[in-house]
Amino acid sequence: MLAVAGAAAVLALAGCGSDSGGEAKVPPTATGSLESLAAEAKCKPDMQTDADTIRQAICKKGEEKYILATFATDRGQREWIEAAKDYGGFYLVGRKWVAVGEEKVLQDLRGRLGGDLEQGVDHSGMGHGGGAHDGGAHDGGAHGSGHAGHGG
């Protein structure tokens, strides 16, 4: 659960802004260790968690930060994502890895690592539960609108 708390901290830093510019061409989804994914993302990972089940690091892109995590199993990854989504935010998901951060940062990262963009539960109550944050626009709706029936 420390890893989920770390993701929540990054989401608090990232805010709720969205600037959905043009879609970049998405490459095949990358695979590999945290270090190899970080190298493809052009990130020097600041390791936060190095355990048997999860490895997690903070990456920076200019002033922006995101979390890059790798998992030992697909099941462990899915359980982590489902728990983390309760905190809201955006998740770039690959096979046994996830990046957590602001949508525009993850869109750029998606252009390097591939993956599917997923959105967590919007608890803001600020009236922007649709619009720019609405799923579907990023990956054909296969993952982006999965939060709709989730009652936090």
Side-chain angles (χ1 to χ4, degrees):
M1 281 299 143
L2 288 174
V4 173
V10 166
L11 294 174
L13 293 172
C16 194
S18 174
D19 186 14
S20 298
E23 292 283 322
K25 184 175 179 184
V26 180
T29 302
T31 59
S33 69
L34 190 138
E35 289 81 5
S36 67
L37 292 168
E40 284 189 55
K42 300 196 183 335
C43 152
K44 182 179 178 187
D46 178 9
M47 291 300 291
Q48 302 295 306
T49 305
D50 194 356
D52 291 339
T53 57
I54 183 174
R55 299 184 72 222
Q56 179 175 298
I58 295 176
C59 287
K60 293 181 183 178
K61 178 189 175 227
E63 295 294 315
E64 306 290 342
K65 293 181 182 180
Y66 61 93
I67 288 178
L68 183 60
T70 57
F71 302 86
T73 66
D74 293 321
R75 180 179 176 179
Q77 175 192 23
R78 186 46 46 194
E79 288 173 354
W80 185 93
I81 290 170
E82 292 306 316
K85 279 185 168 183
D86 285 340
Y87 293 97
F90 294 90
Y91 304 83
L92 181 61
V93 181
R95 177 111 199 291
K96 294 186 183 177
W97 63 265
V98 64
V100 184
E102 203 170 310
E103 182 181 20
K104 64 183 178 180
V105 174
L106 296 183
Q107 285 288 5
D108 180 61
L109 189 60
R110 187 176 186 218
R112 297 174 194 252
L113 299 181
D116 295 314
L117 191 63
E118 298 185 17
Q119 183 178 357
V121 178
D122 182 1
H123 292 290
S124 69
M126 299 296 229
H128 65 280
H133 289 292
D134 195 13
H138 305 292
D139 61 2
H143 298 286
S145 59
H147 70 282
H150 193 336

